[in-house]
Amino acid sequence: MERPAIHPYIPIVIGVLSVILSAIFVKLANADSGVIAFYRMLFSVLAMLPIFLLKYKSELKGLVRKDWIFSTIAGIFLAFHFIFWFESLNYTSVASSTVLVTLQPIFAFVGTYFFFKEKVSMKTILSALIAITGSVIISWGDFRLSGSALYGDVLALIGCALVTAYLLFGQEVRKRLSIITYTFVVYSISTITLFFYVLIKGESFGPYSSTNWFWFIMLALIPNLLGHTLFNWALRWVSTNVISIAILFEPVGAAVLAFYIFGETLTLSQVVGGLVVLSGISLFVIDPRKIIKKFF
């Protein structure tokens, strides 16, 4: 394999900084959750459209009926992931919401166990129990703070489960398509789903201030396209575990920004629970044997 032009960790750091901004941009946008999600996906699709039409549209011929079904289901799950997660930010803090969404690897192992019958090790079970304990600490602290904060935590957890379902349904299709084609198809389906959701809910498509349009576009370009594209590029040279560990810095960075931008302070339960959650996920994605072998 040829060496990359730049060290893979540099794009990974830029990618993490990009996804950190997601919750911040959502909080800054003054619109309903479904509307924010719709324009995030719409502008992402429009940005990808030229390169897809020029270089990748022929790949659609290779899609069979099952691929379209799974891609549609994945797109719908992705749409509702954004709805639930964005809505959670109206009730709970950026710190609690982003930490709970990072439970995705734990949800993923549950999904692969029940749907793909993958074996579960004691380390996996232990890491899941630790992460769940952390989420309980956060939720209990938020419940004591206010009932609405706990409601926001529940919405974030549902959003986490939905993005896991999106990944599970899409993983087989993704193996047979380029990242551009797969992303374009799923994002397009997600956009259509969100369009009808906003229409049925009676939420407003506009008009919005120029500031709001700026945040909608930034959500599409920075967290969606820049952040995740850089992660996918880096996967050619680093393991998935490196990306998973890097993404754990998202709630840390988001909490710091939320403190300075929105004045959100952290409670003791959020700090303790967040550390416990991140410890559990770290145990899940890190293989201690490889680390020991590498250094000793």
Side-chain angles (χ1 to χ4, degrees):
M1 184 182 298
E2 78 267 23
R3 295 182 63 181
I6 58 175
H7 197 288
Y9 284 179
I10 296 174
I12 290 173
V13 170
I14 297 172
V16 170
L17 294 175
S18 300
V19 297
I20 281 173
L21 293 170
S22 184
I24 304 301
F25 289 165
V26 171
K27 293 276 284 186
L28 289 169
N30 185 23
D32 292 313
S33 300
V35 173
I36 299 172
F38 169 70
Y39 282 120
R40 172 176 180 161
M41 301 310 294
L42 176 64
F43 287 128
S44 296
V45 170
L46 292 177
M48 296 176 66
L49 184 60
I51 188 172
F52 171 75
L53 292 177
L54 287 172
K55 296 186 66 175
Y56 297 95
K57 65 178 180 180
S58 60
E59 289 188 17
L60 292 179
K61 298 176 183 177
L63 289 175
V64 298
R65 184 170 177 269
K66 183 180 177 182
D67 293 335
W68 282 111
I69 292 172
F70 274 50
S71 296
T72 300
I73 295 172
I76 293 171
F77 276 130
L78 181 61
F80 281 94
H81 154 71
F82 283 128
I83 291 169
F84 276 91
W85 181 42
F86 291 178
E87 190 66 17
S88 76
L89 292 166
N90 291 325
Y91 296 95
T92 192
S93 67
V94 168
S96 292
S97 180
T98 51
V99 165
L100 293 172
V101 169
T102 58
L103 284 166
Q104 184 270 319
I106 304 300
F107 278 85
F109 109 75
V110 174
T112 54
Y113 173 75
F114 284 105
F115 292 105
F116 301 108
K117 307 302 179 184
E118 289 188 6
K119 293 181 180 180
V120 178
S121 65
M122 284 302 300
K123 188 192 84 166
T124 300
I125 295 172
L126 178 61
S127 62
L129 291 174
I130 293 172
I132 291 169
T133 300
S135 67
V136 170
I137 293 172
I138 292 172
S139 299
W140 174 247
D142 284 350
F143 174 69
R144 293 178 64 188
L145 189 66
S146 73
S148 62
L150 177 62
Y151 177 63
D153 292 347
V154 173
L155 291 176
L157 285 171
I158 295 173
C160 182
L162 289 168
V163 76
T164 304
Y166 147 69
L167 293 169
L168 291 175
F169 273 96
Q171 66 180 15
E172 288 300 317
V173 183
R174 171 65 187 91
K175 292 175 182 178
R176 294 188 294 277
L177 294 175
S178 66
I179 185 64
I180 295 293
T181 301
Y182 173 72
T183 303
F184 182 81
V185 169
V186 174
Y187 279 16
S188 297
I189 292 167
S190 185
T191 302
I192 295 169
T193 303
L194 288 163
F195 172 80
F196 285 107
Y197 173 85
V198 172
L199 201 65
I200 293 169
K201 285 273 292 182
E203 298 176 356
S204 175
F205 285 102
Y208 290 103
S209 66
S210 56
T211 303
N212 261 351
W213 289 114
F214 174 77
W215 296 127
F216 294 157
I217 293 171
M218 286 299 99
L219 270 167
L221 297 181
I222 298 181
N224 251 28
L225 297 181
L226 179 62
H228 293 287
T229 299
L230 288 174
F231 289 148
N232 284 313
W233 177 88
L235 278 173
R236 185 175 181 182
W237 288 280
V238 301
S239 71
T240 304
N241 287 347
V242 173
I243 305 293
S244 300
I245 289 295
I247 292 175
L248 294 183
F249 288 96
E250 179 185 355
V252 179
V256 172
L257 288 177
F259 171 75
Y260 285 105
I261 297 173
F262 307 116
E264 290 188 2
T265 56
L266 295 175
T267 64
L268 180 61
S269 62
Q270 287 174 328
V271 174
V272 174
L275 289 173
V276 173
V277 168
L278 297 181
S279 297
I281 298 170
S282 298
L283 177 63
F284 176 73
V285 298
I286 293 175
D287 188 345
R289 292 171 300 180
K290 290 184 178 179
I291 295 176
I292 293 171
K293 185 177 181 181
K294 182 176 181 180
F295 290 100
F296 299 99

